[in-house]
Amino acid sequence: MKNCFKTARNCWVASESMEVVYATHPLVHNIFVHGTPDERDLIAIVSPEREPFTKWAQKYLSNSAGGKAAKLQLSFEDVCSNKAVCKAFVAELQHHAFKNNLLPEEHIAAVHCDPTPFEHSSGGLFTSTLKLRRNIATKFYKMILGQLFAEVDNKETPSIPQ
């Protein structure tokens, strides 16, 4: 199988098969699951579905604020960049992974929500048959991937391979 890699947990994971499962979540438009042999956990870049994700995030923020944020209307870009929303989204994706029988090592530990769908990005992330170009996606999101790994590991310096 293509696009398999080994994590620091000494587990082999197949990113494409995980992406197929995560992509069935109604809040996910595009997803890119990433891991390295130096990192213990998996991370992901997700382009959420605009309308459902915004509604879900507004509801989450309202509930977490005790209903005080009910009148607050945030843009799609604002909810995508909200750290609390991203953490709640990770929990939502982990629950989805559990319900779909993914192994614990296949659960995502951190996520970056990109408001721009992959097919509209300037990086040329898809082939002509709409398959994700992993090497190009890794280069395109290199800085964000490093920040996510640092966030998960609680360390200052990210370890993204060149």
Side-chain angles (χ1 to χ4, degrees), residues 38-102:
D38 299 328
E39 298 294 342
R40 184 180 145 85
D41 295 305
L42 301 176
I43 58 174
I45 307 291
V46 177
S47 175
E49 289 286 353
R50 182 175 285 274
E51 287 289 319
F53 186 74
T54 304
K55 287 179 184 176
W56 174 84
Q58 298 271 3
K59 184 177 178 183
Y60 166 76
L61 290 171
S62 177
N63 290 342
S64 65
K68 295 177 184 173
K71 296 177 184 173
L72 184 65
Q73 291 296 317
L74 297 172
S75 70
F76 179 60
E77 291 74 14
D78 290 338
V79 295
C80 283
S81 63
N82 186 299
K83 292 285 185 191
V85 169
C86 288
K87 284 187 179 190
F89 191 38
V90 168
E92 181 77 19
L93 290 174
Q94 287 175 342
H95 179 69
H96 184 73
F98 178 77
K99 283 190 340 187
N100 286 278
N101 300 318
L102 288 182

Side-chain angles (χ1 to χ4, degrees), residues 10-162:
N10 213 19
C11 298
W12 286 92
V13 292
S15 54
E16 282 183 352
S17 60
M18 288 183 295
E19 288 166 353
V20 167
V21 171
Y22 285 116
T24 62
H25 193 287
L27 300 178
V28 175
H29 180 71
N30 300 118
I31 187 164
F32 166 46
V33 175
H34 184 71
T36 70
D38 299 328
E39 298 294 342
R40 184 180 145 85
D41 295 305
L42 301 176
I43 58 174
I45 307 291
V46 177
S47 175
E49 289 286 353
R50 182 175 285 274
E51 287 289 319
F53 186 74
T54 304
K55 287 179 184 176
W56 174 84
Q58 298 271 3
K59 184 177 178 183
Y60 166 76
L61 290 171
S62 177
N63 290 342
S64 65
K68 295 177 184 173
K71 296 177 184 173
L72 184 65
Q73 291 296 317
L74 297 172
S75 70
F76 179 60
E77 291 74 14
D78 290 338
V79 295
C80 283
S81 63
N82 186 299
K83 292 285 185 191
V85 169
C86 288
K87 284 187 179 190
F89 191 38
V90 168
E92 181 77 19
L93 290 174
Q94 287 175 342
H95 179 69
H96 184 73
F98 178 77
K99 283 190 340 187
N100 286 278
N101 300 318
L102 288 182
L103 299 172
E105 56 270 12
E106 296 174 323
H107 290 206
I108 295 169
V111 70
H112 168 77
C113 295
D114 189 346
T116 306
F118 294 174
E119 59 269 18
H120 297 149
S121 72
S122 61
L125 301 179
F126 284 120
T127 66
S128 59
T129 58
L130 298 179
K131 286 194 70 167
L132 183 66
R133 293 178 171 156
R134 296 191 169 283
N135 56 342
I136 294 174
T138 302
K139 290 175 187 172
F140 186 77
Y141 289 111
K142 182 178 181 174
M143 186 178 291
I144 293 168
L145 294 171
Q147 291 169 352
L148 285 174
F149 278 132
E151 181 183 306
V152 169
D153 294 341
N154 290 325
K155 62 183 180 182
E156 299 277 322
T157 54
S159 60
I160 295 290
Q162 294 296 329

